[in-house]
Amino acid sequence: MSDTWEHIRYEEPAERVARVVLARSEMANAQDYTMLAELNEAFDRAARDDDVRVIVLAADGDHFSSGHDLRAGTDMSDIEAIGTWCCFGAEGAEGYMATEAEMYVGLCWRWRNIPKPTIAQVQGKVIAGGLMLVWPMDLVVCSEEATFSDPVVAFGMNGHEYFTHAFEAGARLAKEMLFTGRAITSREALRHGMVNEVVPRNELESRTLALAEHIARRPPIGLTLAKQSVNNTLDAMGMYTAIQSAFGLHHVGHNHNQRLFGALVDPSGLQVVREEA
Ligand code: ZN
């Protein structure tokens, strides 16, 4: 548990507020499976603590998260599954679909439904899988220089696995982000309702904490009912079904690339993304 976490830190910066921190800044907080499993444990700890009313997700370093750590591999043998998927090492599409259903869509959906308010505190770059840690949170406070992108169309894919792009950015901007791979700025994100507040970098932590403390003065039952009411509205609009539909298409992409290039994604995408960075 907490004393063995490698890539996560758990803090209690104020009464009734827990803060989970991505602590892999030397890798721009790239997510390997160890980090995701630790993050899940930390969220569970905060969710199950009666004294915690609001959970902040923050990150060390210059960048919130550069996405999935592609060099870390997809081996599940050291990971204890939280959901009910199995056969992670199976051949064909079976094993990898189960792996992504467990580690990406499953965990993100689990965190999205924590019955307490969650706030993402975001600085620097948020790339592809990085969005999968921001979007499941209820509120987002970001610094002025923060940018958000999902450039994986260049890799022959539809987007990252927690496909809520149209819900988060609106359909028009979601398509532009995906088609061009362009990073949108904090101001654009604010204008399109993707974030709640844009603040100077040196005020990011204090402003996020102030928001968390303000919310934490409300009774937990009110917060839970309000959160679930909004989430239920999004679900009635088809959010979960949309995620699952896009996940199926995502695996068409993985299988297409596997057949053509012997890899889960088109390897030429890396060069394209580097040239445009
Ligand atoms: Zn994938």
Side-chain angles (χ1 to χ4, degrees), residues 96 100 104 157 161 250-251 254:
Y96 195 57
E100 291 205 334
Y104 298 154
M157 299 299 297
E161 290 82 2
H250 184 88
H251 278 269
H254 278 321

Side-chain angles (χ1 to χ4, degrees), residues 29-136:
N29 294 309
Q31 309 154 35
D32 60 8
Y33 288 177
T34 299
M35 177 189 261
L36 293 172
E38 290 176 356
L39 190 52
N40 187 64
E41 288 181 2
F43 276 132
D44 275 0
R45 176 174 162 185
R48 292 167 181 164
D49 184 339
D50 290 356
D51 294 328
V52 171
R53 291 193 185 175
V54 179
I55 305 166
V56 173
L57 176 62
D60 285 343
D62 294 334
H63 302 294
F64 181 83
S65 178
S66 59
H68 297 143
D69 183 353
L70 300 176
R71 286 174 295 181
T74 59
D75 182 10
M76 289 287 287
S77 49
D78 291 333
I79 300 296
E80 188 177 344
I82 305 299
T84 48
W85 287 90
C86 73
C87 309
F88 301 112
E91 292 184 354
E94 184 182 5
Y96 195 57
M97 186 179 74
T99 299
E100 291 205 334
E102 169 71 24
M103 295 306 295
Y104 298 154
V105 178
L107 290 180
C108 286
W109 191 249
R110 195 166 188 272
W111 303 333
R112 182 264 195 182
N113 291 319
I114 293 171
K116 295 180 180 180
T118 54
I119 308 175
Q121 172 187 308
V122 178
Q123 78 279 14
K125 291 182 179 176
V126 183
I127 303 172
L131 291 166
M132 295 173 60
L133 303 187
V134 175
W135 286 351

